């Protein structure tokens, strides 16, 4: 009984996220701004990656400065039109854009 | 060396030491007699042989010499008065100093960088699709990646589900109407300041908001002091973007400084400027900063153009202008060589340019396209009809009431029959029905009023600017005798004012070219409940009152005429024409009579009150007597005034102040 290749799990996970209600965009970006996976076109993805990178760094350093034991786990930016959710990690960011509930 | 050279010693006697000259004083240094100013000239004279000129100096030491000894002159002490005792304040603490420093204004600019492509490693060419795909595939196989994504994925899922379950930012009570704003005190704050970047500062004489969106402000700069424009003053005017106060967005370059500048409400790229030399200039901002159209100088105004307004027309190219040369001209900007029409502001309707009044403000309301009004230098508002057949008929009526030039003239945007004029030290509101006088007016201020405007959102609110740099916001449904808010915007005089269409932002231009952008509080730019009705009823009431007064005056005048005519049948006695002095005497006598009767009344009352107390009475009588003599003294002085010898105010004081002192 072969264990399914690990990459399938990744695909599974991302598909599951995509199938959730009101989810518009999913992207995985590395810290250099290279989009690994994205449901949007390249330029927009790169723009998001670049903008998010600075923001995440700032938020992360804020949290650590207030309490060095603490760590940033999740970031949500709610705007009029949508909600940008970022799950940060040392090497990669998972960015999901969801339509806010009415 | 001893100081006893003999006067009259010849140069030859001087001890010449050979080559290098050591010349001493030859003449006895005389302290010359004191000059008229009391100073003494001390002269030290020495003589040098011509051949010795230019020779090196051979300095040598010598003993101190007393050249002049000026002993103290005790007579001078007579000129001083000794002060004894002398008050001197001493502070018994450490002396400290205060110093403030401000950095020079530095220019800031905001710039952004657009990151177009991610940070691909060196071996991957981002343009090559294959390479990028290969890279991505490599990353996806990385174990670290897989673990990370699994972990992040689960966190993300949790939050997504949370969002779907409940909207945590839901607005409650959205359907209810916004509660009436509580009565907050009116306030205004400065948002931005735009300074004239030129070295030689000019006044900001006119402002115009951009018709779409109001994100830009056109400011006309010129020096209105007659022939006092400094050398090298720039003629440029600017259009500022509200976001950037450091540098103007567009520069307009006319040949003569602009006095007025207006955006075309139909086409936001076109601007009309009235020049100091009387010409009219037109710009298209798409075409650059040089003038697109310029009126020919022969047919333009002979004086600076003080008012220029765009007209409502199908083509959107018509405008008209007014100037202190007494003419109002209509133009079509497609053909600026000649005005299409000229009206001369001669109120005697004889169209004489010599008797024309100089126009200093112009008014046009697009809802009343055939009428326009002109405010003149002589303090008269002329209402005109454009569509009249003959030129003489163009002038419909006049409203006089100001003592000086009318710097601003505007109809109320809600009730066009009423208009606001600003001139001399007051602002006045008029109704077209009442021609003799204004229906409402402010008190006389300490500083000259320079500009005024109605608020476009509230019918009862208007703004005025003054020469002392204050901006007043009046709200006459709230307070009639004072402005609702008075703000000191800057230290120099404010020259012009413009309210933005939403009523929230006000721009004011000052004498040194500084334009300040202010935002007023909500209360002043939102229409209050029932305000329209209140404002209109106030206007009506005041108009009615003026009409009644007018009628009364007319009656009285008729009566006077009747009386005079009646007397002509009998012997008509002429009243002697009083000279100014006699009038002054008469007025003073009347004044003092009134004062004295009042004082006497007070005396009597006071005496009645303190009758039981014995010693007081004596004092009272003394007081009364004192007043009598004082009164007598004043009366005498009054006589002196009658001869016109003394000023009124000086003598008045003792007459009134004395009684309290005597008591």
């Amino acid at each position: 009984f072969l264990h399914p290749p690990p990459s399938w799990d990744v695909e599974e996970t991302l598909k599951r996220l995509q199938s959730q209600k009101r989810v518009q965009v999913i992207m995985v970006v590395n810290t250099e701004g290279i989009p690994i996976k994205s449901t949007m076109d390249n330029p927009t993805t790169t723009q998001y990656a670049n903008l998010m990178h600075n923001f995440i760094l700032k938020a992360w350093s804020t949290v650590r400065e207030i309490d060095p034991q603490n760590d940033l786990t999740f970031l949500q930016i709610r705007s009029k039109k949508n909600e940008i959710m970022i799950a940060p990690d040392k090497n990669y960011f998972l960015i999901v854009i969801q339509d806010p509930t009415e | 060396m001893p100081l006893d050279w003999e006067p009259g010693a010849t140069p030859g006697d001087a001890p010449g030491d050979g080559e290098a000259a050591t010349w001493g004083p030859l003449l006895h240094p005389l302290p010359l007699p004191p000059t008229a100013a009391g100073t003494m000239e001390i002269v030290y004279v020495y003589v040098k042989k011509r051949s010795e000129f230019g020779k090196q100096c051979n300095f040598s030491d010598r003993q101190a010499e007393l050249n002049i000894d000026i002993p103290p002159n005790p007579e001078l002490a007579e000129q001083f008065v000794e002060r004894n005792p002398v008050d001197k304040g001493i502070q018994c603490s450490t002396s400290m100093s205060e110093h403030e420093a401000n950095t020079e204004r530095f220019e800031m600019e905001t710039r952004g960088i657009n990151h177009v492509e991610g940070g691909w490693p060196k071996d991957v060419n981002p343009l090559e699709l294959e390479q990028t795909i290969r890279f991505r595939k490599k990353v996806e196989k990385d174990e670290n990646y897989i673990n990370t994504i699994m972990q992040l994925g689960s966190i993300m899922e949790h939050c997504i589900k949370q969002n779907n379950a409940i909207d945590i930012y839901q607005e409650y009570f959205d359907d209810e109407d916004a509660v009436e704003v509580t009565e907050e005190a009116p306030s205004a704050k400065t948002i931005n300041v735009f300074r004239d970047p030129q070295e030689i500062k000019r006044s900001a004489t006119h402002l115009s908001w951009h018709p779409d969106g109001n994100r830009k402000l056109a400011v006309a700069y010129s020096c209105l002091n007659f022939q006092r424009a400094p050398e090298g003053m720039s003629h440029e005017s600017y259009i500022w973007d509200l976001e950037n106060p450091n540098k103007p967005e567009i520069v307009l370059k006319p040949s003569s400084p602009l006095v007025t500048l207006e955006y075309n409400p139909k086409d936001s790229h076109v601007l009309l400027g009235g020049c100091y030399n009387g010409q009219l200039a037109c710009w298209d901002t798409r075409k650059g900063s040089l003038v697109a159209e310029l009126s020919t100088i022969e047919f333009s105004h002979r004086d600076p153009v003080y008012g220029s307004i765009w007209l409502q027309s199908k083509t959107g190219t018509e405008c008209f202008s007014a100037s202190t040369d007494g003419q109002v001209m209509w133009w079509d900007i497609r053909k600026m060589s000649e005005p299409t029409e000229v009206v001369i502001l001669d109120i005697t309707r004889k169209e004489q340019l010599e008797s024309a009044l100089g126009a200093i403000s112009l008014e046009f309301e697009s809802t009343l396209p055939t009428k326009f009004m002109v405010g003149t230098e002589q303090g008269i508002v002329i209402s005109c009809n454009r569509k009249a057949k003959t030129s003489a008929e163009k002038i419909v009526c006049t409203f006089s009431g100001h003592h000086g030039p009318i710097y601003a003239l505007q109809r109320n945007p809600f009730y066009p029959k009423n208009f606001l004029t600003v001139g001399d030290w007051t602002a006045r509101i008029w109704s077209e029905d009442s021609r003799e006088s204004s229906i409402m007016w402010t008190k006389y201020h300490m500083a000259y009023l320079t500009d005024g405007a109605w608020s476009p959102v509230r019918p009862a609110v208007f703004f005025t600017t003054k020469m002392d740099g204050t901006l007043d916001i009046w709200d006459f449904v709230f307070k009639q005798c004072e402005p609702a808010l008075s703000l000191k915007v800057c230290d120099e005089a404010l020259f012009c004012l413009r309210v933005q269409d939403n009523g929230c932002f006000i721009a004011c231009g000052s004498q040194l070219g500084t334009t300040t952008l202010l935002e007023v509080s909500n209360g002043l730019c939102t229409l209050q409940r029932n305000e329209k009705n209140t404002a209109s009823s106030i206007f009506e009431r005041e108009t009615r009152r003026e009409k009644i007064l007018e009628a009364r005056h007319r009656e009285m005048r008729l009566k006077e005429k009747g009386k005079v005519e009646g007397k002509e049948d009998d012997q008509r006695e002429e009243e002697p024409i009083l000279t100014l002095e006699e009038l002054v005497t008469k007025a003073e006598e009347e004044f003092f009579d009134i004062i004295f009767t009042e004082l006497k009344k007070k005396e009597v009352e006071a005496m009645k009150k303190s009758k039981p107390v014995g010693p007081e009475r004596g004092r009272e009588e003394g007081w009364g007597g004192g007043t009598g003599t004082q009164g007598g003294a004043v009366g005498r002085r009054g006589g002196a005034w009658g001869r016109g010898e003394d000023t009124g105010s000086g003598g008045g004081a003792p007459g009134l102040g004395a009684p309290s002192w005597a008591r």
Side-chain angles (χ1 to χ4, degrees):
Chain A
F1 184 61
L2 280 170
H3 200 75
S7 54
W8 288 5
D9 290 335
V10 171
E11 291 298 327
E12 271 283 317
T13 316
L14 294 178
K15 252 192 225 129
R16 216 178 36 233
L17 292 178
Q18 183 80 45
S19 64
Q20 294 286 346
K21 266 195 295 179
R22 287 186 260 262
V23 169
Q24 290 169 338
V25 173
I26 298 193
M27 341 181 221
V28 180
V29 186
N30 84 345
T31 50
E32 269 119 44
I34 305 172
I36 310 290
K37 251 203 164 19
S38 173
T39 58
M40 270 200 309
D41 54 281
N42 204 10
T44 327
T45 313
T46 324
Q47 189 185 29
Y48 265 101
N50 182 32
L51 294 168
M52 291 307 142
H53 186 59
N54 287 332
F55 191 69
I56 294 168
L57 233 49
K58 192 70 179 178
W60 184 82
S61 64
T62 308
V63 169
R64 293 286 283 217
E65 232 176 88
I66 294 171
D67 180 8
Q69 314 288 342
N70 211 347
D71 199 3
L72 181 69
T73 49
F74 203 74
L75 209 50
Q76 272 171 299
I77 303 174
R78 183 106 176 197
S79 71
K80 245 194 323 205
K81 296 194 183 155
N82 49 24
E83 177 159 356
I84 305 170
M85 297 189 277
I86 310 160
D89 181 72
K90 215 166 48 167
N91 300 323
Y92 304 97
F93 306 141
L94 173 62
I95 302 175
V96 172
I97 302 183
Q98 192 186 18
D99 200 8
T101 46
E102 294 298 309
Chain B
M1 300 246 193
L3 258 187
D4 46 347
W5 294 88
E6 272 145 29
T10 57
D13 291 342
D17 265 346
E19 300 307 302
T22 46
W23 294 93
L26 290 185
L27 301 170
H28 189 83
L30 296 166
L32 299 175
T35 57
T39 55
M40 276 207 282
E41 275 183 21
I42 301 172
V43 183
Y44 191 86
V45 184
Y46 68 96
V47 173
K48 202 172 180 177
K49 244 193 188 164
R50 219 232 187 121
S51 58
E52 306 284 339
F53 279 12
K55 266 210 177 134
Q56 77 185 89
C57 292
N58 187 3
F59 292 114
S60 59
D61 279 327
R62 67 172 187 192
Q63 279 185 332
E65 271 181 26
L66 180 63
N67 279 327
I68 294 291
D69 180 15
I70 306 173
N73 184 0
E75 284 166 31
L76 292 177
E78 304 290 320
Q79 295 179 17
F80 295 91
V81 174
E82 191 176 314
R83 229 165 61 163
N84 193 2
V86 175
D87 284 320
K88 190 167 168 67
I90 298 183
Q91 171 92 305
C92 194
S93 67
T94 48
S95 64
M96 297 197 274
S97 77
E98 183 185 306
H99 187 79
E100 57 181 55
N102 198 7
T103 59
E104 292 218 354
R105 252 188 123 210
F106 60 89
E107 304 252 323
M108 289 197 292
E109 232 182 276
T110 314
R111 286 215 184 162
I113 301 181
N114 191 15
H115 190 107
V116 168
E117 191 62 57
W120 295 96
K122 270 190 265 201
D123 53 351
V124 176
N125 181 1
L127 300 168
E128 284 280 324
L129 201 57
E130 274 195 36
Q131 292 190 10
T132 55
I133 291 178
R134 210 186 311 150
F135 180 82
R136 285 204 177 95
K137 286 230 165 73
K138 197 168 66 155
V139 171
E140 281 172 26
K141 296 221 171 63
D142 185 17
E143 208 181 299
N144 190 15
Y145 171 79
I146 295 167
N147 291 336
T148 313
I149 295 297
M150 301 299 287
Q151 191 193 11
L152 297 180
S154 55
I155 302 173
M156 184 63 78
E157 205 177 339
H158 174 76
C159 288
I160 292 176
K161 285 191 178 155
Q162 216 173 37
N163 267 341
N164 286 335
I166 296 180
D167 179 13
I168 63 172
Y169 300 108
Q170 186 181 32
E171 281 279 342
Y172 299 114
F173 313 119
D174 210 5
D175 300 327
E176 293 199 9
D177 277 326
V179 184
E180 284 293 327
V181 182
T182 50
E183 294 299 314
E184 43 166 288
S187 64
K189 56 178 196 248
T190 312
I191 306 266
N192 226 334
V193 176
F194 303 92
R195 282 177 228 275
D196 185 5
Q198 296 288 331
E199 286 291 315
I200 301 175
K201 302 283 176 197
R202 302 122 342 133
S203 327
T205 47
H206 202 88
L207 297 162
S208 173
W209 287 95
H210 194 267
D212 300 322
N214 293 320
R215 301 308 307 162
K216 295 201 221 180
L217 188 60
V219 187
Y221 295 93
S222 59
C223 179
L224 284 178
N225 290 329
F226 182 62
Q227 290 186 349
R228 273 224 233 119
E231 278 286 321
M233 183 182 94
S234 157
H235 298 313
E236 292 174 352
S237 289
Y238 303 115
I239 297 182
W240 296 88
D241 184 333
L242 295 187
E243 308 290 318
N244 182 7
N246 292 322
K247 214 164 80 93
E249 189 176 328
I250 301 174
V251 176
L252 301 172
K253 297 193 171 89
S255 51
S256 155
L258 290 180
V259 180
T260 67
L261 186 56
E262 280 286 331
Y263 265 105
N264 186 345
K266 289 244 170 74
D267 181 358
S268 55
H269 297 284
V270 178
L271 292 126
L272 174 71
C275 297
Y276 192 69
N277 65 0
Q279 286 178 300
L280 281 180
C282 209
W283 276 268
D284 188 331
T285 51
R286 294 166 293 203
K287 289 198 195 135
S289 35
L290 291 176
V291 184
E293 305 279 337
L294 187 61
S295 62
T296 41
I297 202 152
E298 296 87 26
F299 296 107
S300 307
H301 291 281
R302 300 282 142 78
D303 264 354
V305 177
Y306 279 104
S308 64
I309 302 187
W310 290 93
L311 290 169
Q312 281 283 62
S313 70
K314 284 187 277 245
T315 53
T317 53
E318 286 178 24
C319 55
F320 71 136
S321 64
S323 158
T324 39
D325 63 355
Q327 297 176 69
V328 179
M329 296 182 177
W330 277 263
W331 306 83
D332 186 327
I333 56 166
R334 294 168 295 190
K335 181 170 173 285
M336 291 285 264
S337 49
E338 258 197 2
T340 52
E341 208 182 322
V342 177
V343 166
I344 295 179
L345 297 170
D346 180 4
I347 45 177
T348 57
R349 299 215 171 94
K350 290 205 202 69
E351 302 204 22
Q352 296 290 334
L353 199 56
E354 294 79 45
S355 46
L357 303 176
I360 227 175
S361 50
L362 200 53
E363 188 280 332
F364 175 75
E365 177 77 30
S366 43
T367 51
L368 298 166
T370 56
K371 295 207 267 185
F372 68 95
M373 294 202 288
V374 180
T376 61
E377 278 186 310
Q378 286 75 9
I380 301 177
V381 175
I382 306 177
S383 168
C384 309
N385 185 348
R386 198 178 161 198
K387 290 290 181 237
K389 295 278 159 32
T390 65
S391 296
E393 296 295 310
K394 293 231 185 247
I395 296 178
V396 173
C397 59
T398 61
F399 301 86
S400 50
H402 274 288
H403 306 291
I406 296 179
Y407 286 112
L409 176 57
Q410 193 189 5
R411 286 189 198 264
N412 187 321
F414 291 83
Y415 300 105
K417 264 189 142 195
N418 299 295
F419 56 95
L420 169 74
T421 60
V422 164
D424 61 52
W425 298 270
T426 60
R428 286 172 190 269
I429 300 180
W430 304 72
S431 161
E432 280 188 344
D433 302 327
S434 158
R435 301 205 181 153
E436 302 287 310
S437 78
S438 51
I439 59 171
M440 290 161 70
W441 56 90
T442 66
K443 60 173 192 232
Y444 280 88
H445 293 98
M446 296 304 290
Y448 223 77
L449 264 68
T450 50
D451 202 358
W454 288 102
S455 162
V457 287
R458 288 191 59 186
V461 171
F462 65 94
F463 308 92
T464 55
T465 53
K466 304 218 282 279
M467 288 287 276
D468 60 0
T470 48
L471 168 74
D472 290 331
I473 305 180
W474 297 80
D475 179 357
F476 56 77
V477 298
F478 175 61
K479 221 198 275 196
Q480 276 92 32
C481 38
E482 272 186 344
L485 181 63
S486 183
L487 279 165
K488 185 125 200 307
V489 174
C490 53
D491 292 325
E492 63 265 13
L494 281 176
F495 266 114
C496 58
L497 158 80
R498 202 59 185 260
V499 189
Q500 208 197 48
D501 292 330
N502 62 9
C504 271
F505 292 103
I506 311 173
C508 355
S510 80
Q511 199 174 16
L512 294 178
T514 311
T515 309
T516 316
L517 182 64
L518 297 133
E519 178 179 1
V520 286
S521 61
N522 237 340
L524 288 169
C525 57
T526 31
L527 192 59
Q528 302 287 320
R529 234 181 332 179
N530 222 14
E531 185 178 335
K532 275 195 189 170
N533 290 336
T534 320
S536 82
S537 54
I538 290 180
F539 285 139
E540 273 165 40
R541 183 188 72 205
E542 299 300 326
T543 320
R544 222 176 21 233
R545 186 200 58 169
E546 282 300 319
K547 283 226 182 92
I548 293 172
L549 286 174
E550 230 177 286
R552 274 296 279 144
H553 280 141
R554 227 175 299 145
E555 269 179 42
M556 283 177 16
R557 259 180 280 145
L558 284 172
K559 254 196 234 162
E560 284 286 320
K561 253 196 219 163
K563 255 198 253 173
V564 167
E565 279 164 15
K567 276 203 184 132
E568 267 183 1
D569 302 344
D570 318 349
Q571 199 181 33
R572 208 217 292 203
E573 51 167 322
E574 279 180 21
E575 269 220 342
I577 304 165
L578 298 167
T579 62
L580 187 63
E581 274 187 17
E582 285 165 356
L583 282 171
V584 169
T585 329
K586 211 165 89 150
E588 278 171 3
E589 281 172 16
E590 284 174 10
F591 174 69
F592 280 107
D593 284 336
I594 300 173
I595 300 287
F596 286 134
T597 36
E598 280 294 317
L599 282 174
K600 282 258 165 12
K601 251 198 269 173
K602 281 207 186 131
E603 264 185 62
V604 171
E605 276 177 27
M607 291 227 286
K608 279 196 210 147
K609 271 194 209 155
S610 48
K611 261 208 168 103
V613 186
E616 292 293 310
R617 200 186 299 176
R619 213 185 301 162
E620 229 71 89
E621 284 166 352
W623 184 83
T627 321
T629 47
Q630 291 286 352
V634 175
R636 255 180 276 128
R637 284 236 201 92
W641 288 327
R643 276 175 256 127
E645 282 170 21
D646 205 346
T647 57
S649 53
L656 297 171
S660 48
W661 167 83
R663 194 191 276 262

